[in-house]
Amino acid sequence: MNTSGKNKIFTIIVVVLLIANSASMLYFWWNRSDSRPGKNDPQDAKAFIIKELALNEQQKLAYQELREEHQKNLRDLHESFKDAKEHLFDLLDQENPSDSLVEQASLQTAQIQQQIEMATFNHFKKLKALCNAEQKKKFDSIIREAIRLISPPPPPNGNIQNPPPPPINGNNPPPPALDNRP
């Protein structure tokens, strides 16, 4: 086969591959999931609740007021939680912080987390109180999905946030060296 024939075949193959690649990229882009990791948009939960419960206009207004109050409460609690955790880990600056001091600081963060959980529970309890009898039945069936929509995504490798260290038996390779670059 001559050079021009080879070039023509090569050009056709390249064009077909480019078209196939573009089609694949478009397919995946158009069919991407809105439940990508890292996505937890409260607006999605709001729209989901309004749609699934078929809230009327008066209920929507009352729900909006509940949400604004709840979000303000959570902002304040999250700020307190951040401060309490900072205080807890500031204890690492001390040479030997007492166990009681560490326990007290840890308990403070746990109490704030409990307040966050209770505020969220009470928010949804108030939302349920806005519903009529039929909506309350629907509420019971959708609440877990609504909570999932506002919850942080799971860690990338399952539900273990801090996996236990490997057993020390001499058969395992040493852990990877930490990268100390700035």
Side-chain angles (χ1 to χ4, degrees):
M1 189 179 269
N2 63 18
T3 306
S4 67
K6 288 181 184 178
N7 283 343
K8 188 174 186 180
I9 292 173
F10 179 70
T11 302
I12 291 171
I13 291 172
V14 168
V15 168
V16 168
L17 289 174
L18 283 172
I19 291 171
N21 189 32
S22 298
S24 297
M25 289 174 59
L26 281 172
Y27 172 79
F28 288 115
W29 187 78
W30 281 79
N31 293 315
R32 73 183 189 268
S33 171
D34 280 340
S35 59
R36 294 181 293 277
K39 183 172 187 199
N40 59 334
D41 188 357
Q43 292 300 323
D44 289 348
K46 176 185 174 187
F48 174 78
I49 288 169
I50 289 172
K51 177 182 172 223
E52 291 297 318
L53 295 179
L55 298 179
N56 63 35
E57 289 305 315
Q58 184 180 3
Q59 289 172 318
K60 287 179 190 176
L61 289 172
Y63 175 47
Q64 182 60 33
E65 287 178 21
L66 278 178
R67 284 186 80 244
E68 288 171 4
E69 175 189 344
H70 178 60
Q71 288 173 347
K72 183 196 177 306
N73 288 342
L74 284 187
R75 272 192 299 275
D76 295 343
L77 286 169
H78 282 293
E79 188 63 32
S80 296
F81 184 77
K82 185 183 124 211
D83 293 343
K85 276 208 97 140
E86 214 170 279
H87 172 68
L88 171 65
F89 286 97
D90 282 348
L91 295 175
L92 290 172
D93 294 340
Q94 297 178 16
E95 188 62 35
N96 280 322
S98 71
D99 289 345
S100 63
L101 194 58
V102 173
E103 189 174 316
Q104 182 182 6
S106 177
L107 184 59
Q108 178 68 29
T109 62
Q111 288 171 339
I112 296 169
Q113 184 62 44
Q114 180 186 20
Q115 290 173 11
I116 291 170
E117 300 303 332
M118 289 302 298
T120 301
F121 179 86
N122 288 328
H123 166 72
F124 284 110
K125 186 177 172 184
K126 290 175 186 175
L127 171 60
K128 188 175 183 179
L130 292 176
C131 297
N132 61 36
E134 186 178 316
Q135 290 170 324
K136 286 180 182 178
K137 289 178 188 173
K138 183 69 175 178
F139 178 93
D140 293 339
S141 69
I142 68 157
I143 188 61
R144 285 171 182 74
E145 179 65 16
I147 296 293
R148 187 192 65 74
L149 288 171
I150 61 171
S151 297
N157 55 345
N159 289 330
I160 300 175
Q161 289 187 357
N162 295 315
I168 302 174
N169 61 9
N171 294 333
N172 294 327
L178 295 175
D179 186 3
N180 291 327
R181 284 183 274 167

